Amino acid sequence: EAEGEVMIFSFSPLFLLSRESFDFLSERIVSFIKKYHMQNPQETGVSRSLLKSKLSVSDFILLVAVEALIKNKKMKYEGENIALTGFEVKLSPEEEKILKEMELMTIKGELQSVSMEQLKEKFRLSSKRINQLLSILINRKKIVQGQDGFILHSSWLDELIQKIRESGKSDLSVLEFKQMTGLTRKYAIPLLELLDQIGVTRKVGSKHLIL
């Protein structure tokens, strides 16, 4: 291993892979994704489950190879999918217009998320395509999505984070957060959970420490 001939993944039981085999697998991953992009230019990338089924490799080895390729800036995550660095989804002028409308809906709706059925009806697109377009907005850093589909505009979130950090407080209760933002409990709690998720705050007991 010190000479770079093998990679050891565990000692008990001993599980190792030759560097040559690992490099060959990495090349196969890149080649497969490149071909997939050419055949599916409107897809954001390849799912890990599809890669696993096509390459017949274990989840663990696949994850190690993918993370190494990402670290070396040969690939990137697009939501839950994997894409080559530099790849961008090809959108029609109409789809770019839809993206702007989605972004505007996020701004106007503040923290009220729009249902998938409403989006499908408004834009006459499938659920799959709506999710792809939302992923593009996230990657362009126009919107932020938390757990359970919680979506808000990134500029609004940036302003809120700045307000929290300039408040002089070391922690926030749900009541204090509601007073700061003017939000009801229905929206304050999932937003606090999002702030915990992205590392702005951390929940300890009933309080959220400001980091």
Side-chain angles (χ1 to χ4, degrees):
E1 185 180 44
E3 293 175 359
E5 295 295 326
V6 299
M7 299 175 68
I8 299 175
F9 297 101
S10 70
F11 286 95
S12 182
L14 180 62
F15 179 27
L16 55 82
L17 187 69
S18 72
R19 169 59 69 175
E20 184 179 0
S21 296
F22 186 78
D23 291 343
F24 178 68
L25 172 62
S26 299
E27 289 173 6
R28 288 187 65 200
I29 292 172
V30 171
S31 178
F32 178 80
I33 295 179
K34 183 178 181 179
K35 184 177 179 181
Y36 188 89
H37 284 332
M38 293 175 65
Q39 295 175 342
N40 304 275
Q42 292 191 324
E43 299 281 347
T44 57
V46 182
S47 68
R48 212 163 76 195
S49 59
L50 179 59
L51 270 178
K52 179 186 174 185
S53 65
K54 294 295 183 181
L55 302 178
S56 300
V57 63
S58 71
D59 271 332
F60 179 69
I61 294 295
L62 180 61
L63 178 60
V64 172
V66 166
E67 292 296 335
L69 287 165
I70 290 174
K71 183 178 180 180
N72 291 328
K73 302 188 183 304
K74 292 185 177 180
M75 298 197 315
K76 61 181 179 178
Y77 280 118
E78 291 283 355
E80 295 184 354
N81 291 333
I82 304 162
L84 296 182
T85 300
F87 172 77
E88 296 292 340
V89 175
K90 297 186 184 301
L91 298 178
S92 66
E94 181 61 29
E95 287 175 323
E96 288 288 356
K97 182 180 177 182
I98 290 174
L99 280 184
K100 290 190 178 298
E101 289 189 53
M102 284 184 172
E103 183 184 352
L104 187 60
M105 288 173 69
T106 307
I107 295 172
K108 287 183 175 180
E110 295 181 344
L111 301 179
Q112 300 180 39
S113 59
V114 181
S115 72
M116 180 61 70
E117 290 305 314
Q118 287 175 299
L119 290 173
K120 285 168 60 179
E121 183 178 350
K122 178 175 177 61
F123 299 114
R124 300 184 182 280
L125 296 173
S126 66
S127 299
K128 179 181 179 180
R129 193 57 180 159
I130 291 291
N131 281 323
Q132 289 172 342
L133 293 176
L134 286 174
S135 293
I136 291 170
L137 281 177
I138 293 170
N139 291 332
R140 291 182 180 180
K141 302 188 184 305
K142 296 295 185 181
I143 64 173
V144 177
Q145 184 172 19
Q147 296 175 344
D148 302 322
F150 186 67
I151 298 173
L152 66 157
H153 199 269
S154 57
S155 61
W156 192 92
L157 181 62
D158 289 341
E159 291 172 7
L160 177 60
I161 292 172
Q162 183 178 357
K163 186 176 182 180
I164 289 172
R165 287 177 171 160
E166 292 177 352
S167 67
K169 295 178 177 292
S170 59
D171 55 53
L172 288 168
S173 65
V174 174
L175 177 60
E176 289 171 328
F177 188 68
K178 285 169 57 182
Q179 293 171 342
M180 177 184 290
T181 60
L183 298 171
T184 63
R185 186 178 181 87
K186 177 181 178 180
Y187 296 115
I189 290 179
L191 181 52
L192 272 171
E193 290 173 350
L194 175 60
L195 292 172
D196 290 342
Q197 180 186 336
I198 62 178
V200 176
T201 56
R202 183 175 73 245
K203 187 174 182 182
V204 178
S206 61
K207 296 275 190 176
H208 291 261
L209 300 181
I210 300 173
L211 304 178

